[in-house]
């Protein structure tokens, strides 16, 4: 979820104020700040940097926000689901052991890219790159967070001497709050299929790091000049607005029903004035056609 369950998440609490930083933060989802609760926080002073580890919770679940505050007030931050934080803790142990086995820095024996050891973590649509590096200022662990489909990259740099202290603080938080990301754990409804004329509509319920959603896919044929080809389009509707989405659709249905009624009454009256009676209803209004509706299992990409 972010990996996180959240996409918010600016640094906005009082502990960050007055340090030459704005309080807006990065908003990966929208301009709105979702409701979230801070459950616990730890602050570490490692060399000239401060690190804040905040356990937070919102409707998507729990996560840990790691914020790095430099001596000049610059801020950078990454977000970890609780399960990812546990994996990161384990990597910190192995990186620390490797760091302890290294001799003194040797400028003549440093890789061109400065990397001494690297690992990668994957969670939902996010990747985390862990690189123990060395430069003229010393050795440090760089943790980069990226989104697989493109998006902002964020990273923090932890001095190598502070990896054990950081790991221990992270362990304390995980001991208190567990490694469960939270969020919805029930069984999602099965997908539905609706066929209308030459079109197929697929309704899929899914869940990702942003929450539960409904994907509505339309498949059909398009045949200009007798050349047929399949086409596909889709929309994704977050669960939080399903009720509103339904209400808007129901409102349009009611309005169209009322719009058709005067026309039907007028046609019926015209038939009576001619002496022949209202006559049979038009063929397209004689009876509603049954919908070709069914359920299925499996994922949309396998069908369309």
């Amino acid at each position: 979820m972010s990996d996180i369950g959240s996409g918010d998440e600016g640094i906005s609490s009082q502990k960050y104020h007055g340090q030459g930083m704005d309080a807006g933060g990065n908003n990966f989802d929208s301009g709105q700040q979702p409701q979230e609760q801070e459950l616990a926080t730890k602050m570490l002073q490692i060399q000239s940097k401060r690190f804040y580890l905040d356990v937070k919770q919102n409707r998507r679940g729990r996560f840990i926000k790691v914020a790095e505050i430099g001596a000049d007030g610059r801020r950078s931050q990454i977000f970890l689901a609780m399960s990812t934080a546990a994996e990161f803790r384990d990597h910190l142990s192995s990186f620390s052991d490797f760091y302890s086995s290294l001799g003194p820095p040797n400028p003549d024996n440093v890789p061109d890219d400065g990397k001494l050891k690297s690992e990668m973590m994957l969670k939902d649509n996010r990747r985390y790159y862990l690189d123990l590096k060395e430069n003229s200022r010393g050795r440090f662990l760089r943790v980069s967070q990226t989104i697989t489909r493109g998006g902002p990259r964020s990273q923090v740099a932890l001095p190598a001497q502070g990896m054990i202290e950081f790991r221990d603080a992270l362990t304390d938080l995980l001991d208190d709050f567990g490694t469960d990301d939270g969020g919805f754990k029930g069984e999602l409804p099965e997908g539905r299929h609706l066929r209308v004329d030459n079109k197929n509509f697929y309704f899929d319920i899914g869940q990702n790091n942003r929450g539960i959603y409904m994907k509505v896919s339309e498949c059909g044929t398009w045949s200009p000049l007798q050349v047929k080809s399949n086409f596909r389009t889709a929309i994704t509707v977050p669960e939080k607005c399903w009720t509103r989405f339904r209400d808007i659709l129901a409102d349009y249905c009611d309005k169209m029903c009322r719009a058709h009624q005067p026309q039907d009454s007028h046609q019926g009256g015209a038939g009576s004035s001619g002496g022949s009676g209202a006559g049979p209803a038009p063929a397209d209004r004689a009876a509603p056609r049954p919908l070709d509706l069914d359920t299925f299992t499996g994922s949309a990409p396998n069908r369309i």
Side-chain angles (χ1 to χ4, degrees):
M1 10 180 157
S2 351
D3 176 94
I4 352 175
S6 168
D8 48 298
E9 332 222 301
I11 296 182
S12 57
S13 77
Q14 291 296 323
K15 62 176 173 284
Y16 298 104
H17 289 175
Q19 298 173 354
M21 300 175 297
D22 68 288
N26 294 326
N27 189 325
F28 300 127
D29 290 344
S30 67
Q32 297 180 348
Q33 195 82 305
Q35 294 181 352
E36 78 179 25
Q37 178 184 7
E38 184 173 293
L39 305 179
T41 185
K42 282 183 176 290
M43 192 277 285
L44 304 175
Q45 182 77 41
I46 302 177
Q47 294 183 353
S48 62
K49 296 181 178 182
R50 285 189 306 275
F51 292 89
Y52 292 89
L53 286 71
D54 299 328
V55 180
K56 291 178 171 285
Q57 177 174 294
N58 61 20
R59 63 182 180 82
R60 300 186 182 104
R62 289 179 179 174
F63 60 96
I64 293 180
K65 176 170 67 177
V66 178
E68 171 197 341
I69 313 299
D72 57 357
R74 291 185 183 181
R75 178 195 67 200
S76 55
Q77 57 191 24
I78 61 172
F79 303 95
L80 305 167
M82 302 303 286
S83 58
T84 307
E87 183 180 356
F88 179 43
R89 174 199 56 196
D90 296 340
H91 281 304
L92 282 172
S93 295
S94 63
F95 272 91
S96 179
D97 292 341
F98 178 81
Y99 169 71
S100 299
S101 69
L102 297 174
N106 182 358
D108 299 327
N109 191 28
V110 178
D112 293 337
D113 58 1
K115 294 181 181 180
L116 304 174
K117 176 178 171 63
S118 296
E119 294 288 349
M120 192 267 287
M121 302 186 301
L122 179 63
K123 174 69 174 180
D124 296 329
N125 68 329
R126 295 186 180 272
R127 292 178 183 271
Y128 297 84
Y129 297 94
L130 315 180
D131 299 305
L132 182 62
K133 304 189 70 176
E134 180 178 328
N135 60 21
S136 59
R137 290 175 292 180
R139 292 166 176 166
F140 61 95
L141 178 66
R142 186 181 66 186
V143 184
S144 303
Q145 172 187 310
T146 64
I147 302 176
T148 54
R149 63 174 179 273
R153 171 190 286 262
S154 54
Q155 63 184 33
V156 297
L158 174 64
Q161 298 94 321
M163 287 191 292
I164 290 296
E165 184 180 358
F166 193 98
R167 181 203 63 187
D168 292 345
L170 190 58
T171 298
D172 289 343
L173 293 174
L174 292 172
D175 287 344
D176 290 340
F177 296 95
T179 60
D180 185 358
D181 298 333
F184 182 77
K185 293 292 190 299
E187 183 176 352
L188 296 176
E190 292 184 344
R192 306 293 294 273
H193 167 235
L194 170 65
R195 180 174 179 83
V196 180
D197 298 328
N198 67 332
K199 292 185 178 181
N200 292 282
F201 296 91
Y202 295 96
F203 301 80
D204 294 285
I205 309 301
Q207 183 177 14
N208 59 18
N209 62 330
R210 296 174 183 266
I212 298 173
Y213 63 90
M214 176 189 299
K215 181 178 180 182
V216 183
S217 305
E218 172 194 348
C219 301
T221 56
W222 176 59
S223 55
L225 303 178
Q226 306 301 318
V227 177
K228 294 186 178 181
S229 62
N230 292 327
F231 67 88
R232 174 181 63 189
T233 186
I235 61 171
T236 300
V237 185
E239 181 197 16
K240 63 183 178 182
C241 66
W242 285 0
T243 301
R244 181 59 179 156
F245 193 90
R246 177 202 62 193
D247 292 344
I248 292 174
L249 185 59
D251 182 59
Y252 278 123
C253 291
D254 291 342
K255 288 179 178 178
M256 291 308 299
C257 286
R258 291 193 296 269
H260 285 306
Q261 286 174 356
Q263 179 181 357
D264 294 344
S265 300
H266 177 75
Q267 290 176 348
S272 300
S273 62
S276 59
D284 61 344
R285 295 188 182 278
R289 294 174 56 187
L291 298 178
D292 182 7
L293 187 66
D294 66 299
T295 62
F296 54 81
T297 58
S299 58
N302 294 329
R303 299 189 306 278
I304 55 177

